[in-house]
Amino acid sequence: MKERLIALRRKRRTSDRNRGRDDLCYSIVDSPPGKLLLVADDDNLRVLNFQEGGDKVDPLPPWRQGNRLLDETERQLGEYFDGKRQEFQLPLQPIGTPFQLRAWKQLQQIPYGSTWTYGDQARRVGNPRASRAVGAANGRNPIAIIIPCHRVIGGNGRLVGFGGGLNSKRWLLEMEASVIGSRALVESV
C-alpha cells in the first residue's frame, strides 16, 4: 500500500507541474473497526486505508488536511457505521492494473450484508480459475469498505485476508448482517 501511495504522489506531482503543487488531502477518522486514513483530491476519493494493522500508512508531507469530499466521505461512513447507509455515493478513483480495476468493480456489485467467495468473484471477472488473482487484487484494494473487499470470504466459508485485520472484517460483516436482519455468513477462523 505504501508503494501505491508514493506512486499516487508521483503521478499527481507530474500531472500538477503546471500548478506547481500536489493537491492531495487527507483525514484520519476514528471508526468502530479502527482508525481510517482517507486520501482524496478535489474530485475523487483515492484511498481508504485501515491505520491499525500491517498496512498502516502515514500522510505524506505535501498533503494538506481535509476538503469537502473528505467531509462528505466521513459523513457517509458515519451513516454506514450507524446502519443508516448501505450504498456510498462518492466519486472514486482507485489506481491499479486493468485486472485489479475489473476485480474492484465487481466488489462493488456484492450486495450489502452478503458475501461472495473468491471463486464467485473470479467467475464474475470473467476467469473462473482466477481465485488467487482476485484475492491478490483484493489485497491491493486502495479504498476499503467503500469498495467492499470485506465481503469476500474463502470457499470454505471462513474469513481470510483483510488489510484491516480479520477482527475488523468480522465486525463489518456482522454489522451489515445485523442491519438487514440476517445471520452473518461467517464461520470462525
Side-chain angles (χ1 to χ4, degrees):
M1 174 58 81
K2 195 170 279 189
E3 298 85 24
R4 196 158 295 252
L5 288 172
I6 291 169
L8 173 64
R9 179 179 173 197
R10 282 189 197 123
K11 183 175 181 177
R12 296 301 304 173
R13 193 178 316 144
T14 300
S15 67
D16 290 341
R17 278 200 181 121
N18 294 338
R19 288 181 280 182
R21 64 182 179 85
D22 194 342
D23 62 350
L24 292 175
C25 297
Y26 76 95
S27 181
I28 296 177
V29 179
D30 287 318
S31 76
K35 286 191 183 297
L36 305 172
L37 171 70
L38 310 176
V39 180
D41 57 28
D42 289 335
D43 301 315
N44 297 289
L45 183 66
R46 302 299 194 96
V47 173
L48 190 162
N49 184 60
F50 281 85
Q51 289 299 93
E52 296 161 5
D55 288 338
K56 181 180 189 271
V57 176
D58 292 320
L60 297 172
W63 298 354
R64 56 188 203 281
Q65 267 195 297
N67 68 13
R68 281 188 288 227
L69 178 54
L70 293 174
D71 292 343
E72 178 61 17
T73 302
E74 287 183 47
R75 185 185 70 76
Q76 289 189 30
L77 282 168
E79 291 173 352
Y80 169 79
F81 292 126
D82 288 342
K84 297 175 182 168
R85 174 175 291 277
Q86 295 184 11
E87 293 182 19
F88 292 93
Q89 303 297 320
L90 297 165
L92 308 178
Q93 191 170 17
I95 295 175
T97 67
F99 180 81
Q100 289 170 334
L101 293 171
R102 281 197 324 271
W104 301 336
K105 188 166 188 68
Q106 286 304 310
L107 289 172
Q108 294 176 61
Q109 304 308 309
I110 305 172
Y112 180 94
S114 300
T115 57
W116 288 356
T117 66
Y118 291 99
D120 294 333
Q121 185 183 2
R123 280 187 289 284
R124 286 172 171 90
V125 168
N127 187 346
R129 295 192 288 195
S131 301
R132 289 181 185 224
V134 297
N138 292 355
R140 309 262 316 170
N141 174 12
I143 306 176
I145 302 172
I146 295 170
I147 298 178
C149 53
H150 64 277
R151 295 181 188 153
V152 181
I153 59 175
N156 60 3
R158 292 182 177 227
L159 292 182
V160 292
F162 186 62
L166 294 182
N167 288 335
S168 293
K169 184 172 187 166
R170 180 183 327 282
W171 188 91
L172 291 165
L173 291 173
E174 289 176 351
M175 182 272 301
E176 290 182 3
S178 72
V179 168
I180 63 169
S182 74
R183 193 169 151 261
L185 303 173
V186 177
E187 292 186 22
S188 298
V189 177

